[in-house]
Amino acid sequence: MRVSASPTKEIQVKKYKCGLIKPCPANYFAFKICSGAANVVGPTMCFEDRMIMSPVKNNVGRGLNIALVNGTTGAVLGQKAFDMYSGDVMHLVKFLKEIPGGALVLVASYDD
């Protein structure tokens, strides 16, 4: 990506995994989570430079969007959206109780 600093000079901006402006330290995972904007722009989740949830992938929904990732390997274990406005909260409770040990829980909200 190039950004103009002046009409005659351009600055090179280097992007790292998930579009971050700084690299992650060794033995750390890179991730970026963006919650949705009202009911217009859906949430996105990037993990280790791979988009795991987004409107383009058609795997997000109103409410809480949750992705589970293995905390050791970085493998995506699953993802699900829970409607907190008109959905049954017990589905979320059941999902949370079944999270395996060592899993990373990534959460973004949308239209709630």
Side-chain angles (χ1 to χ4, degrees):
M1 171 186 260
R2 292 180 181 191
V3 177
S4 291
S6 69
T8 59
K9 193 175 186 180
E10 287 187 357
I11 300 172
Q12 294 290 332
V13 178
K14 185 167 179 164
K15 294 289 183 175
Y16 297 90
K17 289 180 181 177
C18 293
L20 301 175
I21 59 171
K22 295 187 332 185
C24 290
N27 298 320
Y28 283 77
F29 291 121
F31 68 93
K32 183 176 182 180
I33 302 171
C34 296
S35 286
N39 64 349
V40 180
V41 179
T44 58
M45 287 186 202
C46 177
F47 190 84
E48 281 296 295
D49 220 19
R50 195 173 102 215
M51 192 61 63
I52 56 176
M53 290 188 87
S54 75
V56 172
K57 292 182 73 76
N58 199 27
N59 64 351
V60 296
R62 178 170 77 171
L64 297 178
N65 292 268
I66 303 175
L68 300 178
V69 178
N70 183 301
T72 303
T73 66
V76 177
L77 304 173
Q79 62 267 356
K80 194 159 183 168
F82 297 93
D83 186 338
M84 301 309 297
Y85 180 72
S86 61
D88 184 352
V89 71
M90 291 313 295
H91 296 298
L92 172 61
V93 171
K94 181 179 184 304
F95 181 83
L96 294 174
K97 285 182 177 181
E98 294 174 354
I99 294 173
L104 303 175
V105 181
L106 311 175
V107 182
S109 66
Y110 180 43
D111 191 27
D112 243 6

